[in-house]
Amino acid sequence: MNTLIFRTIAPVLTALMLLFSVFVLLRGHNEPGGGFIGGLIAASALAIFGIARGVGSVRRAVVFHPLAIAGTGLLMSCCAGLLSLFFAVPFMTGLWVYPVVFGVEVALSSVLLFDIGVYLVVVGAITSIALALEEREVE
């Protein structure tokens, strides 16, 4: 199923899916969604791009090795949990800061750090699996 139409539309579809995955990630604090679902959407986008353009194109687009991305996400998630211990509150308690950026108060939390970590773990792990399967199929 590697038609000209598919190869042409895959980069556009991938970009839209990655943008939507970030929307789902950021929306997940107050609504359904979050790091896991956003990560699955992003990994699906990269899988579609890999089917259309090949494994080498995905590896060049991702820049870092997928397992390094997953490891970074795991480190971020662990740091989000351990951060609460420094403030003498129970493990995994959400902590909030409100910095002012360009005159607008932005609410940042350790929960967001945890969600971004989960997002990166899912993207890295699923992309690594998909690339390994695609490489095996090509040979």
Side-chain angles (χ1 to χ4, degrees):
M1 188 183 114
N2 201 357
T3 64
L4 177 63
I5 295 171
F6 182 56
R7 284 193 316 264
T8 304
I9 199 67
V12 175
L13 182 62
T14 300
L16 288 174
M17 287 178 71
L18 289 173
L19 185 65
F20 182 66
S21 75
V22 172
F23 170 75
V24 170
L25 166 70
L26 295 177
R27 182 176 183 247
H29 294 303
N30 301 320
E31 302 286 334
F36 187 78
I37 301 301
L40 286 178
I41 294 169
S44 300
L46 293 172
I48 288 171
F49 190 68
I51 292 169
R53 295 291 179 100
V55 174
S57 296
V58 175
R59 290 200 186 277
R60 284 188 299 275
V62 173
V63 179
F64 299 106
H65 193 279
L67 291 180
I69 295 171
T72 302
L74 185 61
L75 181 66
M76 288 174 68
S77 295
C78 289
C79 287
L82 294 174
L83 192 62
S84 62
L85 297 178
F86 292 111
F87 292 93
V89 293
F91 182 69
M92 293 291 286
T93 299
L95 301 170
W96 295 82
V97 293
Y98 299 94
V100 177
V101 179
F102 300 118
V104 177
E105 187 176 70
V106 179
L108 297 176
S109 68
S110 61
V111 179
L112 178 62
L113 182 64
F114 180 80
D115 269 347
I116 292 171
V118 170
Y119 178 89
L120 292 175
V121 167
V122 172
V123 169
I126 301 296
T127 301
S128 179
I129 292 168
L131 291 176
L133 290 174
E134 185 68 24
E135 284 174 343
R136 180 171 290 165
E137 183 179 302
V138 171
E139 293 174 357

